[in-house]
Amino acid sequence: MNLKITSIIIFLGLCIGLSKNIQKRVDAEIENTFEIETFSFLEKVISPNVAKTLPATFAKDNFFEIKSENELLGYAYVSKAPSKTDDFDYLVLLDTDLVIVKTKVLAYREDYGGEIGSKRWLKQFIGKTQDDDLKYQQNIVAISGATISVRSMTNAVNNLLKSLKILRSKNIL
C-alpha cells in the first residue's frame, strides 16, 4: 500500500476515535479478510433511540461500513467485553449479508485466558448469522482457564447477532 493511502486510512481512523494501535489491527484484518489494499472505513450511525433498545452496544465509533470504490464490502464492529479483571477489545467483520467472516481479539489484558485470541477458537464464529443462537459449551467450545472470557465473547457475539437481526427487521441495515 502506498504511503498516501496509508496516511488517509490512518487519518480516518484517528478521526473516528479508535486508538492508533487498535485501528492498525482493524485495518490489517480488513485488508487480509477482504483481500484489498484500499478501502474506506466509515462510521455507520445507529440512532440513539434505536441503539438503546439493542442487546449490543452501538455507540459512536464502534460500527463501520467497509467500502472499496464506493461498493459496500461489509461491516466492522469493534467493542469491548469483560474478562476476569479488565476488558478486552475485539473485532467482528461481517459481509453484506451480515454473516460473520472474521472475529479477532485485538487487545487482551489478562495474564490468563488469552487463548480466546487463537485463530482456531475464533474460527467457530465464522459463518454465524443473525439466525444463530450461540451457547457456551453447546455450540461454542469452552477453553480451560478462560471460562469468563469465553462466556463474555460468546455473549458479546450473540448480542451483536441479535442486534443485527433487529436492525435488519427495521430496514436500518
Side-chain angles (χ1 to χ4, degrees), residues 11-27:
F11 177 73
L12 284 172
L14 293 174
C15 290
I16 56 180
L18 296 178
S19 74
K20 187 176 180 180
N21 185 35
I22 295 295
Q23 185 66 54
K24 187 184 239 183
R25 292 177 184 188
V26 168
D27 290 347

Side-chain angles (χ1 to χ4, degrees), residues 51 72 85 88 118 122 128 131 138 140 142 146 159 166 173:
L72 181 66
T85 63
F88 60 91
S118 76
L122 289 169
K128 299 299 184 195
D131 295 323
Q138 291 179 23
I140 299 297
N159 287 340
I166 294 166
L173 294 178

